[in-house]
Amino acid sequence: KLRLSLALMHGEDEELEAGALRQVDRIEAMLAQFLEYARGFEAEEPQSVAVRDMLCAVAGEAAQTADRVRIDASPTLQAVLRPQAVSRAIDNLLGNAMRHGVPPVTLTATREGRMVRIRVRDCGEGFAPDMAESIMRPFARGDSARGGEGTGLGLAIVHRVAMAHAGQLSFARVEGGFEARLDLTDGEGGAGVSAG
């Protein structure tokens, strides 16, 4: 209804109309995130994924151009995962690194046994790792995000995706930057664990 009302303005006040459309876009994005968190990820069937291709697709969308994100992952790395859920988790982590971190941003994926380890690193300080537990709670927001436009569900969604793959989400200050670590169990056994 809001979009229809704005369309009926027929450009009478282009600046007002553009600002209102941006607000509608933000409302839609926030509602989508609420619904995504509420639904969980159990309905999505695990499938074999070319991990590097997935990272490149997410990075291209997150950065608008993939050259803003360096990707380090073998083209032969395959894993059985919930691709939409994992893509969303990576997108959230990349978005945080690009909004609150310091470039360049590096996205890596490696395998250790059945575990696929995805790392999102930037050159900023990040937050104290002992804040991780509280900041992953639904509607929690870090100091750098307060006053922004997020819902406080971004990291909660990533944490839920990790649990849905019998994995974990963690953070660390590393030499020269800050790193978010998403560990996912490869295979239907790991991907079938409930995120509830």
Side-chain angles (χ1 to χ4, degrees), residues 21 24-25 30 32 61 66 76 98 109 119 134 157 180:
L21 282 169
V24 171
D25 288 341
M30 291 172 74
E61 292 176 9
T76 62
M98 295 174 69
R119 304 288 181 259
S134 62
I157 288 172

Side-chain angles (χ1 to χ4, degrees), residues 33 36 54-55 57-64 83-99 107 118 120 154-155 157-158 161 182:
Q33 202 167 46
E36 184 174 28
M54 178 174 62
L55 300 186
V58 174
E61 292 176 9
Q64 300 304 314
Q84 291 182 1
V86 175
S87 293
R88 180 60 175 173
I90 297 167
D91 183 61
N92 286 354
L93 293 175
L94 265 181
N96 282 348
M98 295 174 69
R99 276 191 303 274
L107 178 57
I118 297 170
V120 180
L155 291 180
I157 288 172
V158 180
V161 171
L182 179 61

Side-chain angles (χ1 to χ4, degrees), residues 24-95:
V24 171
D25 288 341
R26 289 171 185 146
I27 290 168
E28 287 181 340
M30 291 172 74
L31 286 172
Q33 202 167 46
F34 283 125
L35 291 171
E36 184 174 28
Y37 183 79
R39 278 195 299 261
F41 306 100
E42 292 82 356
E44 185 184 3
E45 288 296 321
Q47 56 186 275
S48 182
V49 175
V51 176
R52 181 183 174 84
D53 289 349
M54 178 174 62
L55 300 186
C56 289
V58 174
E61 292 176 9
Q64 300 304 314
T65 172
D67 60 9
R68 291 182 58 194
V69 179
R70 179 176 171 266
I71 295 175
D72 183 8
S74 169
T76 62
L77 178 55
Q78 294 277 140
V80 176
L81 305 168
R82 291 183 168 98
Q84 291 182 1
V86 175
S87 293
R88 180 60 175 173
I90 297 167
D91 183 61
N92 286 354
L93 293 175
L94 265 181

Side-chain angles (χ1 to χ4, degrees), residues 156-172:
I157 288 172
V158 180
H159 179 59
R160 202 168 205 184
V161 171
M163 290 192 302
H165 291 81
Q168 66 176 357
L169 171 64
S170 60
F171 305 90

